[in-house]
Amino acid sequence: MKTDQVVIVGGGVIGLCSAYYALKRGFSVTVIEREAAGGDNCSMGNAGMIVPSHFTPLAAPGMISKGLRWMFNPESPFYVRPRVNPDLMKWGWLFHQNSNARHVAASRELLRDLNLESRRLFAELSTEGDFGLKQRGLLMLCKTQKGLDEEAQVAREAHEIGLQAEVLDAAATAELDPSITMDVTGAVYFPQDCHLEPKRFMAEMRRRVLSLGGVIESGVGIDNIATSGGRVSSVSGNGRSFEGKQFVVAGGSWTPELLKLAGIKLPLQAGKGYSLTLPEPPELPQLCSIFAEAKVAITPMGSGLRFGGTMEVGGLDLSVNPSRVRGIVKSVNAYFPKFSELDFAGIKPWAGLRPVSPDGVPYLGKSGRFPNLTIASGHAMMGLSLGPVSGRVVADLLAGDPPFRPIDGMSADRFS
């Protein structure tokens, strides 16, 4: 029997997973999404990776200096568009404050636990619907010895927190995935990582939400959040109003704009990423991988192969920067010599906005200002990877139950 009405603003992977697990807990759920039904949001065109290997937050030692070096290369993996913007300046200052070893040490077990639990939930979900889940691991491919040495250090840190990682030379790397020709010095193999097909997963989650009695309202842009007596009472947009007892804002990169409607400031910036998918690649690897030096992710999806990368901080702008796309394409032949830039001729690049918190840790928790408002955003490149676990934590918070592990480090009010 359905109980309290929950309104979830956001129809991406975090919103749909939250809806699914809330419905499983007996809540009545309405999801409101900006895009038309099945729209191409940030959850659709990403690399589709589930990554326990990503236990180091984006805000880490060396990221500031590395980002400054990359700023002057139009084809580099990282770029911040200079502009006078108080929100960007605050985010940048907080990122600087958190880019230290202490923050990394405090965050890595949290990120490990979230990704491992999400991996378990993905496997559980896959028993009831096929979305292309492959539990084969990930290769961090290194072109140079310097790159391999740096990734070997990550492997040692992974061992310290109980994660599996293996340093491979070029021959062992080729043996692990003989279906792809590689020109690399070596790799680090993370056997607990997985990959899937994002569009299939999103379609499956929509189907499950609807089959459980959930409602999905598409093409509705929320422009007002009404509050009364210290609680959120309704959200409205496009001439429609949605009342509920509990509310979840999972609006991805649009979350700060939504929360401003309720007088809440959330430090978060949109990090644009691109992907290109070859329907008939010259070769098709069986494992997903990342070009360590180029910061490009590669994922086999059915008979196709997706290449994704860049982190371009420039506001809510989905326009395609050809230089950034060119940087992805130019990197491929260096690692996969059977590929050429001509393979990408006519392939339309996809762009999506990742919501990036200033410390590289998601926002996942109740608002201190409105006890019936839950905030779930800021997952950056791990939105897909952390979708199921975030949805289950949201359901726990809605029900007033303790999550599977303490989540204090993800408080939505931690920068207030």
Side-chain angles (χ1 to χ4, degrees):
M1 180 178 178
K2 301 299 182 186
T3 55
D4 290 353
Q5 173 66 34
V6 175
V7 176
I8 298 175
V9 181
V13 64
I14 305 299
L16 287 181
C17 287
S18 297
Y20 172 73
Y21 285 106
L23 286 161
K24 296 280 282 187
R25 297 291 290 270
F27 290 97
S28 177
V29 177
T30 297
V31 177
I32 304 169
E33 59 181 359
R34 291 184 314 107
E35 294 87 2
D40 197 17
N41 60 38
C42 190
S43 302
M44 298 290 193
N46 61 68
M49 294 179 175
I50 302 156
V51 284
S53 61
H54 285 38
F55 57 86
T56 302
L58 188 61
M63 275 303 298
I64 298 292
S65 59
K66 187 180 293 185
L68 288 172
R69 290 197 306 273
W70 279 337
M71 283 278 290
F72 301 99
N73 179 359
E75 298 178 359
S76 72
F78 181 78
Y79 178 69
V80 178
R81 183 190 302 167
R83 62 195 193 279
V84 179
N85 181 289
D87 292 337
L88 175 62
M89 293 170 68
K90 179 178 180 180
W91 181 89
W93 174 245
L94 290 170
F95 189 94
H96 169 72
Q97 286 187 311
N98 284 280
S99 296
N100 57 66
R102 185 178 66 256
H103 170 63
V104 170
S107 305
R108 63 182 191 171
E109 292 183 7
L110 169 63
L111 295 176
R112 173 204 63 190
D113 292 350
L114 290 170
N115 275 296
L116 286 176
E117 179 61 9
S118 214
R119 181 188 191 278
R120 186 189 72 78
L121 292 171
F122 272 116
E124 185 176 277
L125 291 167
S126 71
T127 63
E128 301 175 12
D130 182 13
F131 40 84
L133 179 67
K134 306 297 182 186
Q135 301 181 63
R136 296 171 178 163
L138 174 145
L139 284 169
M140 187 67 70
L141 299 174
C142 302
K143 183 72 179 173
T144 65
Q145 186 61 49
K146 180 176 182 291
L148 185 58
D149 291 343
E150 290 176 353
E151 294 305 323
Q153 176 58 35
V154 176
R156 288 189 286 273
E157 293 170 6
H159 292 153
E160 290 174 4
I161 58 173
L163 290 173
Q164 299 171 28
E166 184 180 354
V167 181
L168 309 175
D169 62 16
T173 302
E175 185 178 350
L176 194 60
D177 196 350
S179 56
I180 181 77
T181 304
M182 294 176 275
D183 183 1
V184 296
T185 297
V188 173
Y189 175 50
F190 292 96
Q192 292 162 294
D193 286 17
C194 315
H195 67 272
L196 52 77
E197 298 178 44
K199 282 193 175 182
R200 290 176 64 185
F201 179 71
M202 292 293 288
E204 175 65 15
M205 295 310 295
R206 289 181 73 89
R207 183 193 68 78
R208 293 190 190 198
V209 167
L210 295 172
S211 69
L212 289 171
V215 175
I216 301 177
E217 299 285 356
S218 303
V220 179
I222 296 301
D223 56 24
N224 184 63
I225 296 179
T227 61
S228 177
R231 300 175 69 84
V232 175
S233 55
S234 68
V235 298
S236 57
N238 293 29
R240 304 180 62 188
S241 181
F242 303 88
E243 297 182 352
K245 290 189 175 180
Q246 298 201 67
F247 294 81
V248 179
V249 173
S253 294
W254 284 262
T255 299
E257 300 303 312
L258 289 165
L259 292 176
K260 283 180 182 178
L261 299 172
I264 298 173
K265 293 184 178 181
L266 189 78
L268 185 147
Q269 288 292 311
K272 183 161 53 180
Y274 302 100
S275 70
L276 302 103
T277 305
L278 298 181
E280 298 179 357
E283 294 181 322
L284 185 64
Q286 298 303 300
L287 277 68
C288 61
S289 59
I290 295 176
F291 298 158
E293 293 89 351
K295 309 301 180 190
V296 171
I298 306 93
T299 310
M301 296 187 180
S303 60
L305 188 61
R306 177 167 295 171
F307 296 83
T310 80
M311 175 65 77
E312 185 180 333
V313 180
L316 299 174
D317 172 19
L318 278 166
S319 64
V320 173
N321 183 331
S323 296
R324 300 289 155 189
V325 176
R326 191 162 53 247
I328 295 173
V329 172
K330 286 174 69 173
S331 72
V332 176
N333 176 258
Y335 294 81
F336 291 172
K338 292 294 181 68
F339 288 69
S340 76
E341 294 185 31
L342 290 176
D343 293 319
F344 295 88
I347 300 297
K348 183 179 179 181
W350 172 92
L353 300 176
R354 314 179 191 96
V356 184
S357 72
D359 60 357
V361 174
Y363 294 112
L364 193 55
K366 290 279 190 179
S367 164
R369 185 169 178 180
F370 301 106
N372 68 331
L373 173 63
T374 299
I375 298 169
S377 188
H379 294 70
M381 294 89 72
M382 293 185 288
L384 188 281
S385 183
L386 297 180
V389 71
S390 297
R392 205 193 67 179
V393 168
V394 166
D396 288 336
L397 295 172
L398 294 172
D401 294 335
F404 76 104
R405 59 103 70 214
I407 60 167
D408 296 344
M410 295 189 287
S411 168
D413 299 319
R414 64 184 182 269
F415 298 117
S416 298

